[in-house]
Amino acid sequence: MDDPWEGLMHYAMASIGSGPGSLAPVAGTFEPTDEMTGLAEQGDRAVARLVERAHQAEVLRAGVTPVDLELLIEQLSKSPLQEQLQRQGRTELYDAARNARARVIAIALDGLRIVPAGPMPGQPPGYELFAMRWVPPAGSAQPSE
């Protein structure tokens, strides 16, 4: 992409979207091969170039490093709320949780930008999303006393 900010955001969103395939959870559980290390280094250099382009275009906050970006992507790649609702079978809350996640991702990524971005996506989530996830789904078995 020609636009440095759009390129950075495309990378971030694609990486966040592929989060479930991230290898971070298995880090330290096996010895990486030389080929794996080389590929990781190649990826690190590509991310560094994206970050440098964004800094040169003065669209990325000063001081943001490639590692900052990668750690942010790692954090945003999971949604504990969506995972909890999925485990509970709470399909009636899943759209609201997906909307809330999109907003949180936008807030986090907009925080990287020097100038504020456009309007927030979706509708502001209400506290009912938090409250309703504590209510057992209709038809679920209640623990006996």
Side-chain angles (χ1 to χ4, degrees), residues 17-131:
S18 68
S22 172
L23 293 176
V26 297
T29 64
F30 64 92
E31 184 72 32
T33 66
D34 289 341
E35 182 181 11
M36 293 167 76
T37 300
L39 289 171
E41 290 170 351
Q42 183 179 352
D44 292 345
R45 287 190 299 273
V47 173
R49 284 192 300 274
L50 283 172
V51 168
E52 181 58 32
R53 282 185 66 216
H55 278 304
Q56 288 174 350
E58 298 181 345
V59 294
L60 182 62
R61 287 175 64 176
V64 174
T65 70
V67 174
D68 291 326
L69 179 62
E70 293 293 353
L71 289 171
L72 182 61
I73 288 168
E74 186 176 306
Q75 292 300 307
L76 296 173
S77 293
K78 290 192 148 284
S79 172
L81 175 61
Q82 284 179 302
E83 292 169 6
Q84 177 188 30
L85 294 175
Q86 189 171 21
R87 280 191 310 273
Q88 293 176 349
R90 301 300 299 270
T91 57
E92 79 279 11
L93 296 175
Y94 205 70
D95 285 342
R98 188 177 303 122
N99 173 71
R101 180 173 185 226
R103 291 174 59 84
V104 167
I105 290 170
I107 290 167
L109 294 180
D110 285 351
L112 296 172
R113 195 173 190 146
I114 288 177
V115 294
M120 294 289 296
Q123 298 299 314
Y127 279 103
E128 70 277 0
L129 183 59
F130 285 117

